[in-house]
Amino acid sequence: MASAPALCREVTESKGEVMKDIRVGMVGTRFMGRAHANAFINVSHFFPVPLHPVLVAACGRDESHLEKFASRFDFRSTETSWEQLVARDDIDLVDICTPNATHMPIALEAARHGKHILCEKPIAMNADEALRMLQAAEAAGVTHMVAFNYRRVPAIKLAKQIIDQGRLGQIYHFNAVYYQDWLADPRSPFVWRNDVSLAGSGAHGDLNAHTVDLARYLIGEFEAVNGTQEVFVEERTKEDGTLGRVTADDCTEFLARFRGGAVGVFMATRLATGRKNLLRFEVFGSQGSLAFDLERMNELAFYSADDPDDSQGFRTILVTARSHPYLYAWWPPGHIIGWEHTFIHEIYDLLVAIDSHQPAVPDFRDGWKCQQVLDAVQASARCGEWATLEEG
Ligand SMILES: NC(=O)c1ccc[n+]([C@@H]2O[C@H](COP(=O)([O-])OP(=O)(O)OC[C@H]3O[C@@H](n4cnc5c(N)ncnc54)[C@H](O)[C@@H]3O)[C@@H](O)[C@H]2O)c1
């Protein structure tokens, strides 16, 4: 096992200053590969990065797509084996953008080779795998982060600040829905996300992973959950024309109790016809409330019981002021940002954590905690009873 991360062996001349490079190896080159590559390229154009990302190698299984991806995003080289990528001496950071079943093996090998690790969510197939990843990364002394990019929406970070300032008082409710509709049509083809052996779970690990992480981030740990899951379309047609059995949930709903005393309702589905990627949550407290809607991601709705009686009501904060989280790096107030910016914020925070030798947030411990909640919901759905989370 490598004793310390192989960090930043090269330097780049940048505006007269010498900045250390961080050499990135990315596994997975489709949806998240594009989002992350874009973020690595653009982060230093806007944020005062302490390390300069260099896209050294991209890895995927489809060679012709891989070459196009590498050329478009200016990767210096390609690999078709992730084992070879993580073993390379010229890579400091491994970015895992592959289906969930591959997260643990890639992360364990990356840690063994002393690489820092960014891993897409959900961190793993189950909490046992997530714990192994956490232990391996900690033992190797590398920086580890889970890509819960919604924590990097400025409006959500502002919500966190308002809650932490105590402006909502005692929190009573956290309610969240995450709706997509790409599986509503029974003719929608069978993909890895329908196969529990590749995905771990369906809408649950894909969508509830985000809202569970947001709930932990905003109001704290879960105490108990009670869930139900459903598969509505049991077979779908594969690329080769054969039928694939859908083993991953189409939707998962659950009730929650939090250690702080609040209660919650969560729903994730990929069959919400007409809803493309709708993530909404509301937080109700004794002194105020917050509401967020990803389709209006530059806004945060805030109600304060401290406002005078004659002007009480929800106000819409346009979260684009210089004083708002991350916004100092972008445009003049009122000039909105988009979904891809959340990944740029994520990469900036990761680079700062690596450079300062501080833990990244959210790290593999957060990924593990989130996975424990996801697993508990599935256990509850199987037995039809509440499942309790262990404390600590
Ligand atoms: N943060 C978010 O908002 C968000 C959104 C979508 C997906 N995700 C997560 O990102 C991950 C990837 O999802 P995606 O939508 O990019 O998937 P995708 O199907 O679009 O891409 C998967 C990529 O992984 C590669 N791959 C698969 N198995 C491989 C292997 N054994 N070796 C090397 N490469 C391999 C494929 O070639 C492809 O490039 C998943 O964990 C998913 O849950 C996160």
Side-chain angles (χ1 to χ4, degrees):
M1 180 187 291
S3 55
L7 177 62
C8 318
R9 296 189 194 91
E10 296 175 9
V11 289
T12 300
E13 289 287 341
S14 163
K15 295 178 190 149
E17 295 163 16
V18 176
M19 194 187 296
K20 283 183 280 182
D21 283 351
I22 180 151
R23 299 161 303 175
V24 180
M26 183 175 290
V27 195
T29 60
R30 294 278 180 175
F31 184 17
M32 281 307 101
R34 293 172 66 221
H36 288 212
N38 174 65
F40 277 114
I41 288 168
N42 280 300
V43 66
S44 58
H45 298 160
F46 292 92
F47 285 88
V49 291
L51 299 168
H52 177 254
V54 179
L55 297 178
V56 169
C59 171
R61 290 187 304 185
D62 171 349
E63 273 188 68
S64 79
H65 175 267
L66 175 63
E67 293 308 322
K68 281 187 210 137
F69 172 84
S71 152
R72 177 171 294 178
F73 289 99
D74 238 356
F75 280 81
R76 289 179 180 171
S77 62
T78 57
E79 297 279 358
T80 49
S81 148
W82 64 259
E83 288 90 343
Q84 283 184 18
L85 179 133
V86 299
R88 280 174 60 155
D89 286 340
D90 60 349
I91 284 172
D92 305 310
L93 167 65
V94 172
D95 184 3
I96 304 173
C97 298
T98 47
N100 309 339
T102 60
H103 291 185
M104 182 185 74
I106 299 172
L108 294 187
E109 272 303 284
R112 200 170 71 81
H113 286 282
K115 315 296 187 190
H116 303 295
I117 310 166
L118 173 61
C119 181
E120 260 304 338
K121 47 53 57 179
I123 183 171
M125 301 285 278
N126 53 53
D128 290 343
E129 284 195 7
L131 181 59
R132 285 183 65 190
M133 292 166 70
L134 170 64
Q135 289 169 338
E138 284 187 344
V142 298
T143 302
H144 42 99
M145 178 187 263
V146 183
F148 284 121
N149 58 305
Y150 292 128
R151 288 196 189 203
R152 267 76 193 196
V153 174
I156 293 181
K157 220 169 162 107
L158 178 63
K160 167 81 171 154
Q161 290 172 5
I162 290 172
I163 293 169
D164 286 355
Q165 289 160 359
R167 292 161 77 183
L168 300 196
Q170 182 189 342
I171 306 297
Y172 297 138
H173 297 284
F174 184 95
N175 297 343
V177 295
Y178 201 151
Y179 297 148
Q180 296 183 346
D181 76 348
W182 57 279
L183 286 179
D185 184 344
R187 291 166 304 178
S188 176
F190 185 94
V191 291
W192 68 263
R193 289 179 156 86
N194 300 123
D195 182 346
V196 82
S197 73
L198 295 174
S201 66
H204 189 44
D206 194 15
L207 309 180
N208 278 334
H210 278 299
T211 50
V212 165
D213 179 67
L214 288 178
R216 289 189 60 249
Y217 174 58
L218 292 170
I219 73 159
E221 296 298 342
F222 287 72
E223 183 178 65
V225 290
N226 191 335
T228 182
Q229 303 191 286
E230 193 59 57
V231 175
F232 293 108
V233 181
E234 295 191 341
E235 287 182 328
R236 292 180 183 273
T237 307
K238 293 183 179 176
E239 240 178 25
D240 64 7
T242 62
L243 281 181
R245 181 152 189 81
V246 175
T247 48
D249 54 287
D250 285 335
C251 73
T252 297
E253 290 109 40
F254 67 98
L255 303 175
R257 305 192 75 85
F258 291 88
R259 295 214 175 272
V263 292
V265 180
F266 293 74
M267 178 174 180
T269 176
R270 292 147 161 180
L271 287 86
T273 305
R275 296 300 189 195
K276 304 302 169 189
N277 191 45
L278 184 149
L279 188 175
R280 277 187 196 149
F281 67 78
E282 290 185 276
V283 192
F284 299 112
S286 57
Q287 295 301 311
S289 303
L290 291 167
F292 173 80
D293 178 346
L294 184 63
E295 290 181 354
R296 307 186 69 89
M297 64 167 276
N298 290 272
E299 298 176 0
L300 182 67
F302 177 37
Y303 177 97
S304 174
D306 292 337
D307 287 343
D309 281 354
D310 62 358
S311 54
Q312 268 186 359
F314 272 93
R315 74 191 74 158
T316 302
I317 304 169
L318 185 62
V319 191
T320 59
R322 294 270 185 224
S323 56
H324 287 140
Y326 301 112
L327 268 304
Y328 69 91
W330 295 109
W331 318 117
H335 294 69
I336 55 177
I337 63 167
W339 184 78
E340 71 276 23
H341 293 77
T342 64
F343 295 91
I344 298 176
H345 302 163
E346 176 175 284
I347 298 301
Y348 173 61
D349 290 341
L350 175 65
L351 297 180
V352 170
I354 293 172
D355 183 62
S356 62
H357 304 283
Q358 294 298 311
V361 181
D363 65 5
F364 282 8
R365 185 167 296 279
D366 292 296
W368 174 50
K369 290 272 189 195
C370 175
Q371 195 69 54
Q372 286 177 313
V373 177
L374 298 177
D375 287 8
V377 171
Q378 288 184 278
S380 151
R382 279 193 296 273
C383 71
E385 290 177 10
W386 282 84
T388 305
L389 277 297
E390 274 178 34
E391 204 168 353

